[in-house]
Amino acid sequence: MIEEKGLNFIAEIIEEDLKNGKYKQIITRFPPEPNGYLHIGHASSINLNFGLTEKYGGYTNLRFDDTNPVTEEVEYVESIKEDVKWLGFHWKNELYASDYFETLYEYAVRLIKKGLAYVDDSSSEEIAALKGTPTEPGKNSPYRERTIEENLDLFERMKKGEFGDGAKTLRAKIDMAHSNMLMRDPVLYRIKHAHHHRTGDKWCIYPMYDFAHGQSDSIENVTHSICTLEFVPHRELYDWLIEKLEIYPSRQYEFARRNLTYTITSKRKLLQLVNEKHVEGWDDPRMTTISGMRRRGYTPESIRDFCTRIGVAKRENMVDMSLLEFCVREHLNKIAPRRMAVLDPVKLIITNYPENQSEEVQSENNPEEENAGGTRTVMFSRELWIEREDFMEVPAKKWFRLAPGALVRLKSAYIIQCNDFKKDGEGNIIEVHCTYLPESKSGNDTSGIRAKGTIHWVSVSHAAKAEVRLYDRLFTIENPGDEEDFTRFINPDSLQVIQEAYIETALTTAKAGDKFQFIRKGYFAVDKDSSPDHLIFNRTATLRDTWEKESRK
Ligand code: ATP
Ligand code: MG
């Protein structure tokens, strides 16, 4: 599945084109429709389009495919720009298909003058009824033989707003018996008296996708117009229009849409999750939108790495979510400072450590970096918070953590031995009592004793409180996108909120977007809603793949 960087089949075509001198520079475009936020599938298309021009020289335009006035919003335009920039790509021109409405109108007139387009008064039902089937030819519309003059007049009047929505269309005059159904006199323009987010009320006729996309490519001299496989049948019309209009010969190439397990990659369905409030918004950290992943703590590098690893395919297949999670762990492991945080606290008392005393210990920031990224000071004292799960009253086999009599090392501090514990009336452990070995301090250990396990901790009197949000995959099944009623498969445990976790002092100055590894607990990022009085950390990923055994069941 993993293709080597740059050697995908589209890159091969480009290398060939450059070798033959067909183009001096490569021009691609990323053409989102501003009707939703970008998701991980779009990231793959962005990485491909921008990656190719970075590699081969040339540039990529960001073109908003905004020819449908009804579903588009300025909020989406802004979010798309932010997301592309955040991923680390730079477009040459910010363009809008709607800026070409005048040119597209002239192109339509050109086709009419060549006798290659006509105004049809049929309703959409009537047009559909005459379309035929893949095995049966269609029938000509009764309006097909209108004269050029009549068509020019009617088309102009369509533009002027003389007719109501759907009363007329402009259709290409190709062949109602064509083997490709899309070539059976496709509709080029429809009447829609709707307000457009950029052109306002200037237009009441709007070009169809097929009469806007390829033409916009030509206007921009796009050399390689890359789209997803569902547009394969459109390529014939794309080429026909370019040929008849005698405009710049852009070429269309198709690659397989990227879908990911345990998530949704359809703007329409993502919008449904937002509208029905299954998630907090488009940037909910459980969403595989770019903004959701950013808020969750993903780095642009990890997303680009993922896109490059999955490469470009000619056939659709599902990509395993674990690979995306692997990529973020890989990157965060290299860059995230290590910190200590206790998510499910239980108190540990070191009975032979003096009361009211505390001391500094030094802990590595990141062992993956040169010189371990330096160290930071962590305060140690008699009373500590440790994880509840790190103590077992009756230890299991191969248990190397705390249990009565057991020895463990407190990360970057001392070896301790557990002597006793206290329970509440319901049998919950409320205190663990230990003694420490003063000569076992990390970095200066003369005890000669080796503890098999190491656990993390924070000092009760120095710790700060924080909210921690544990995010998990949003769906419980591999392919929710295949289900009509996909919201039924939302993972009920996709968000678990810990109101009172304890964090070490160094974390209290963390700012929105900062990323850390909480030792032994996973990778965490500061949420955008976090404030100094109420710190909020989002779990980006666990340290290991916890879903692996699930999918093998
Ligand atoms: P959706 O189905 O989510 O609405 P779309 O294809 O309609 O997606 P556009 O805004 O039209 O979304 O897409 C912009 C570009 O991103 C197009 O070139 C499209 O082919 C590409 N793209 C969209 N989804 C994916 C995906 N899952 N994998 C790869 N490329 C994608
Ligand atoms: Mg689309």
Side-chain angles (χ1 to χ4, degrees), residues 30-33 39 41-42 45 226 228 255 257-258 265-267:
F30 173 64
E33 187 180 345
H39 52 64
H42 292 114
S45 169
I226 302 163
T228 40
F255 76 112
R257 191 168 269 274
R258 286 314 198 170
T265 44
S266 147
K267 277 182 283 183

Side-chain angles (χ1 to χ4, degrees), residues 323-343:
L323 183 61
L324 179 63
E325 293 163 346
F326 168 83
C327 290
V328 76
R329 280 190 198 104
E330 278 263 298
H331 190 226
L332 291 177
N333 183 39
K334 290 197 194 103
I335 63 155
R338 274 48 171 172
R339 296 289 183 261
M340 292 199 277
V342 175
L343 307 188

